[in-house]
Amino acid sequence: MAHFMYYLTKTFTQTLVTMKRTLHILIATLIPGFLSAQTVLIFEDFESYANGQLLAQTAGLPWSTWSNAPGSAEDTPISNEQASSGALSAKFTGAAAGGPTDIVLRLGDRTAGIYSLSWNMYVAQGNGGYFNLQHNEVIGAGSWMMEMIFLPNGTINYVSGGSTVTGSYVPGTWFMVNILVDLNAQTAGMAIDGMVQHTWQTNVPGPNQLGAVNIFAYAGGAGAVPLFYIDDVTFLDITTVGIEEADLTHVGIYPNPVNDVLTVELAGHTPTAIASLVDLTGRVVIDGRTFMQNGPVARTQLNMAGLPSGLYLVRVQDGMHEVVRRVTKM
C-alpha cells in the first residue's frame, strides 16, 4: 500500500480485480494531514464533548437523526467505554429488532467528484452493528445506496438491489472502515483495515449522488443485539489527488498500540528511505529518521514516550515513493 499508486478505474466495465487493487491502494493512503491536494470536509474524534452528551443534539449539523430530531430517542450518546484514540467515541446500542438509535451524518448531496469516508469501529463480542449509505441528505423515497450489516459472528453482509455479498471483520477489536466513492466513474468500494471487500455502482439504484451515511442500532435481527462504537470519522474530497505507481510497499510497525518506542521495518535494502511521525493536524512531530540494515530488513525507531495519547501517522518516504501506517499512542 503506497502513497502514490494507481488511481480509480474510470469505468465499471473494467475488471473487478483491477478495481479492487486500485481501491485497496487508495483507501489505505487517504488519511488527513499530508495529502496537500485533498480537502478535509469533516473530521470528528468526539474529544470536544462530554461523556453522556447526545451527539446530534450537542454537535449539530452535519450530525442529525433519521427523523431530523436531535435529542430524541434516535440520538446517541458520547461514551468513554471505548475509544480508538483519546478517551471518547460515539456509542450505538438498542433492541434486537433495531433502533431506536438512528444517526445520520450529512455528506452534502454530492453529484460529482471523488470522496473518501472513513472511521474506526468497534463491535463488541457477541453483538453486531450496522450502517448504510443514502443518496440524499434528507432521507426519502429512493434514497438507499448500500447497506452494511456486521453480524456477531464476524461476517459483514453488503446488501444492495436485493443481493447480498459477504465480507468479514474481527469482533471485539478496533478496525478501520474506509469507503471510497467516485461519482465521476459511478463506482464505490469498501475496505476493512485496508483490504477491499466489496465494490458497487453508485448509480444503481440512482441517482448518482452521495447524500449521507446512516448509522442505525441494528445487528442483523434474529435476536442479535447491537452494540458498537465509532471514532475518528473523516470525510475527504480527494478529486484532485494524483496517484502513480510506486514500489515502497513492505512496511511494518510494532508494537501498535505503543507506549514508548515504535519500531519501523522495511523489507529489503532501501538506503535512502526516511521515516517521520505526523499528528492528525498534519504537524510533523518526529522527522528524518534514517534506517539501518539488519539482515533482510532495514529498521529504525521512533521515541513516542513524550507525546500525548492518540492517533498518529507513520510516514515512510523514499524519493517520490511514500507509505503511511496508522499507530495509536497509549
Side-chain angles (χ1 to χ4, degrees):
M1 295 182 292
H3 176 94
F4 295 109
M5 296 188 80
Y6 289 126
Y7 206 70
L8 263 179
T9 52
K10 294 304 178 183
T11 65
F12 194 74
T13 56
Q14 292 179 275
T15 67
L16 184 61
V17 172
T18 300
M19 183 169 180
K20 282 191 173 183
R21 178 174 180 269
T22 303
L23 287 166
H24 178 111
I25 294 163
L26 262 174
I27 285 169
T29 61
L30 298 173
I31 301 172
F34 48 89
L35 286 181
S36 59
Q38 73 182 359
T39 300
V40 180
L41 302 172
I42 297 170
F43 178 71
E44 181 60 80
D45 63 3
F46 307 105
E47 295 304 306
S48 63
Y49 310 116
N51 182 51
Q53 286 185 317
L54 295 179
L55 174 57
Q57 182 181 54
T58 306
L61 293 176
W63 296 98
S64 188
T65 74
W66 184 268
S67 302
N68 194 22
S72 70
E74 293 181 339
D75 214 335
T76 201
I78 304 300
S79 172
N80 62 5
E81 296 172 359
Q82 294 286 344
S84 157
S85 66
L88 299 171
S89 65
K91 177 181 179 179
F92 296 82
T93 190
T101 301
D102 209 349
I103 290 289
V104 172
L105 177 59
R106 298 184 178 184
L107 302 178
D109 283 344
R110 301 177 189 277
T111 58
I114 306 172
Y115 302 91
S116 170
L117 175 64
S118 67
W119 60 81
N120 292 320
M121 186 169 181
Y122 181 101
V123 180
Q125 289 277 4
N127 299 102
Y130 174 93
F131 69 91
N132 62 67
L133 292 179
Q134 297 283 323
H135 289 294
N136 303 307
E137 272 198 337
V138 179
I139 311 303
S143 187
W144 296 81
M145 182 190 294
M146 176 66 64
E147 295 181 84
M148 294 79 167
I149 306 169
F150 295 78
L151 301 179
N153 66 0
T155 298
I156 305 173
N157 286 342
Y158 299 94
V159 183
S160 179
S163 63
T164 299
V165 175
T166 61
S168 63
Y169 74 100
V170 180
T173 65
W174 281 100
F175 55 89
M176 176 178 271
V177 173
N178 296 89
I179 303 167
L180 190 67
V181 178
D182 185 346
L183 295 170
N184 300 335
Q186 301 182 348
T187 58
M190 177 167 150
I192 299 296
D193 282 338
M195 298 300 294
V196 177
Q197 296 195 358
H198 184 51
T199 60
W200 65 91
Q201 291 180 262
T202 58
N203 63 332
V204 179
N208 183 48
Q209 177 171 291
L210 178 61
V213 57
N214 169 225
I215 309 171
F216 181 53
Y218 181 63
V225 176
L227 176 57
F228 60 101
Y229 305 79
I230 66 167
D231 202 355
D232 303 317
V233 179
T234 307
F235 184 49
L236 308 175
D237 182 344
I238 59 168
T239 306
T240 59
V241 175
I243 306 295
E244 62 188 39
E245 186 72 17
D247 298 321
L248 187 62
T249 57
H250 303 293
V251 176
I253 62 171
Y254 62 89
N256 189 12
V258 61
N259 287 312
D260 299 311
V261 177
L262 181 75
T263 298
V264 185
E265 288 187 347
L266 300 176
H269 183 58
T270 53
T272 60
I274 58 172
S276 57
L277 190 73
V278 182
D279 66 20
L280 286 183
T281 70
R283 182 172 64 96
V284 178
V285 294
I286 300 177
D287 196 17
R289 297 297 188 268
T290 57
F291 287 79
M292 296 292 292
Q293 197 69 27
N294 185 6
V297 301
R299 181 177 296 133
T300 193
Q301 292 186 316
L302 307 178
N303 189 347
M304 300 177 63
L307 297 176
S309 298
L311 186 67
Y312 292 84
L313 309 169
V314 178
R315 183 180 183 183
V316 180
Q317 297 169 291
D318 190 2
M320 292 298 294
H321 300 164
E322 183 174 73
V323 171
V324 175
R325 296 288 185 266
R326 282 191 171 206
V327 62
T328 300
K329 169 67 166 60
M330 302 298 288

